Amino acid sequence: MAVGLGPLSTLHPVPGFELGIASAGIKRPGRKDVVVMRCAEGSRIAGVTTTNAFCAAPVLITRERLGGEVRYLLTNTGNANAGTGADGLARARRACARLAELTGVAESAVLPFSTGVIGEPLPVEKIESALQAALDDLKADNWEAAATGIMTTDTLPKGASRQFQHDGVTITVTGISKGAGMIRPNMATMLGYIATDAKVTQGVLQDLVRDAANKSFNRITIDGDTSTNDCCMLIATGQAALAEITEATGELFAKLKQAVFEVFMEVAQAIVRDGEGATKFVTVQVNGGGTHQECLDVAYAVAHSPLIKTALFASDPNWGRILAAVGYAGVAQLDVSKIDVFLGEVCIASKGCRATTYTEEQGAAVMAREEITIRIELGRGTCSETIWTTDLSHEYVKINAEYRT
């Protein structure tokens, strides 16, 4: 059950960007599992991809082609095309070549993306057979259908949209994402596509997508597993009647950055809210760190602890598990006598010990909520970091035990 995640809000079309969906029957007959996205000529695309050394064939090809002239993005679900070696690369290139042939662009102008089961040969013939239908379906207002088309174990489509005005011109930023399991930075299995009609140089766009991903997709975790296929693309079609953004300064860039960051954050947090089997949306906030990295180390130690995650599922305020995770996070010369821990607004531990004001009833009341904040005050510096995670339920085990059946 998705936590606090309802129907999609309005996803505004982005001038110069179209999406088309079709069924190839990769994993299940009739399922819409191929999505083609078309960018206007002159669009710029920047992106970030998984740090997993076993990255999938489409990730390798996308890395090769980013920065060049890109006109189409091709996504399939149901098959990750990862762990498939040279054959996987050949199959991904073949799918791109067929789409290029149908549209009259260079093969290098097509970026491939895949998500699904690892280690299985990509059924490229099925994908090829669906391409014309996806092209025939291309529409600027197809964001919601595309959000459904890229889903795997997701229970709901994920998307967000923002608009702002500058010099009387409306700028749009719209994005979709998918992911519910195998979620852990870096990148955070997930795919994200965010488009804007602003005109932005390649260097500024690449810095923007990296910064936005670091504060959103790279701050979420469900199960601690970094996927082989993670990709997040930021597309600038340049269709808005405004001057090109050439530097990360000025009012127009500030407005664009805020809109992009908001969309990134919303679609990233939607992945956590729809985490496999999740019943809780959990914010882990660490303050007072000596460095940002040690704050992240503590936050992830808490977020990845199976003992804490199962306690969250059971609504059990077993605060000793939180102290233990903070202690093994690897922070050098950690003075536990300075540490305070809060569940929501309730102080459960003060100066490294159970707070004198704390009662089990207070902790149980917080843990019964669907949305919980765990706040840790380290008392050793001025750095802070926040990440978002879930509990670990019976349903998570069931989904992943039956994933390939």
Side-chain angles (χ1 to χ4, degrees):
M1 179 185 73
V3 182
L5 191 63
L8 287 174
S9 57
T10 299
L11 301 180
H12 301 289
V14 175
F17 195 74
E18 300 168 292
L19 310 93
I21 304 91
S23 174
I26 293 171
K27 192 173 181 180
R28 191 169 67 247
R31 189 196 185 288
K32 295 292 182 72
D33 50 13
V34 170
V35 177
V36 171
M37 304 177 189
R38 179 165 64 193
C39 313
E41 190 172 358
S43 297
R44 293 194 173 95
I45 301 180
V48 287
T49 61
T50 183
T51 59
N52 194 312
F54 268 105
C55 60
V59 176
L60 293 172
I61 296 170
T62 291
R63 287 175 181 170
E64 290 175 4
R65 297 176 178 178
L66 268 178
E69 175 72 18
V70 174
R71 296 294 310 284
Y72 290 88
L73 291 77
L74 170 60
T75 303
N76 74 269
T77 68
N79 184 295
N81 195 12
T84 50
D87 179 68
L89 282 167
R91 289 170 184 257
R93 292 188 191 281
R94 176 177 156 182
C96 291
R98 180 55 181 156
L99 181 56
E101 181 183 2
L102 289 171
T103 56
V105 302
E107 184 182 338
S108 60
V110 179
L111 301 183
F113 306 88
S114 297
T115 181
V117 177
I118 295 171
E120 299 290 336
L122 183 73
V124 65
E125 297 85 358
K126 290 184 176 182
I127 295 171
E128 288 177 325
S129 69
L131 290 178
Q132 189 58 58
L135 290 170
D136 293 341
D137 189 53
L138 283 168
K139 294 188 286 285
D141 61 353
N142 243 357
W143 282 96
E144 183 171 353
T148 301
I150 62 174
M151 289 166 51
T152 49
T153 59
D154 309 58
T155 67
L156 290 171
K158 303 164 180 66
S161 195
R162 298 289 189 277
Q163 289 185 317
F164 64 90
Q165 295 275 327
H166 185 80
D167 289 345
V169 177
T170 298
I171 299 291
T172 301
V173 180
T174 298
I176 56 176
S177 67
K178 64 80 51 182
M182 197 179 276
I183 302 296
R184 200 268 191 212
N186 285 307
M187 272 284 304
T189 296
M190 66 130 279
L191 296 174
Y193 306 98
I194 295 88
T196 179
D197 53 338
K199 187 179 296 184
V200 189
T201 61
Q202 186 68 35
V204 172
L205 195 68
Q206 184 60 52
D207 288 343
L208 183 57
V209 70
R210 185 183 299 111
D211 291 346
N214 278 338
K215 291 298 183 182
S216 56
F217 291 110
N218 285 343
R219 294 293 185 271
I220 64 174
T221 182
I222 291 172
D223 44 28
D225 279 315
T226 299
S227 167
T228 55
N229 290 64
D230 297 333
C231 290
C232 180
M233 299 292 120
L234 179 58
I235 303 101
T237 67
Q239 299 298 294
L242 289 170
E244 184 174 49
I245 298 174
T246 60
E247 295 181 343
T249 58
E251 182 183 356
L252 176 56
F253 175 78
K255 290 179 179 178
L256 177 64
K257 180 179 179 179
Q258 179 178 342
V260 167
F261 271 49
E262 287 179 2
V263 170
F264 267 70
M265 186 68 75
E266 189 169 333
V267 295
Q269 289 190 2
I271 291 174
V272 177
R273 293 183 180 280
D274 196 27
E276 290 172 343
T279 68
K280 306 284 177 70
F281 177 81
V282 184
T283 300
V284 182
Q285 182 180 358
V286 181
N287 301 323
T291 66
H292 288 282
Q293 187 58 54
E294 70 182 29
C295 290
L296 288 173
D297 290 343
V298 169
Y300 284 123
V302 171
H304 291 154
S305 166
L307 292 176
I308 294 173
K309 293 171 86 69
T310 50
L312 287 162
F313 173 62
S315 298
D316 176 17
N318 193 339
W319 56 271
R321 294 179 176 182
I322 300 174
L323 294 191
V326 174
Y328 66 61
V331 177
Q333 298 178 327
L334 182 64
D335 185 350
V336 299
S337 69
K338 294 182 178 180
I339 294 175
D340 297 337
V341 180
F342 293 79
L343 274 178
E345 68 284 358
V346 176
C347 182
I348 58 176
S350 178
K351 302 189 185 318
C353 302
R354 177 179 177 136
T356 56
T357 57
Y358 173 71
T359 65
E360 190 79 356
E361 291 75 19
Q362 290 175 318
V366 175
M367 291 291 270
R369 301 170 185 167
E370 281 192 343
E371 302 202 17
I372 299 168
T373 296
I374 299 173
R375 178 163 60 90
I376 300 156
E377 301 287 344
L378 296 178
R380 53 190 278 123
T382 59
C383 295
S384 298
E385 287 288 350
T386 301
I387 67 169
W388 298 273
T389 190
T390 66
D391 58 339
L392 185 60
S393 69
H394 303 301
E395 186 65 17
Y396 176 88
V397 177
K398 184 176 185 291
I399 289 170
N400 283 283
E402 299 175 353
Y403 181 61
R404 298 203 305 163
T405 60

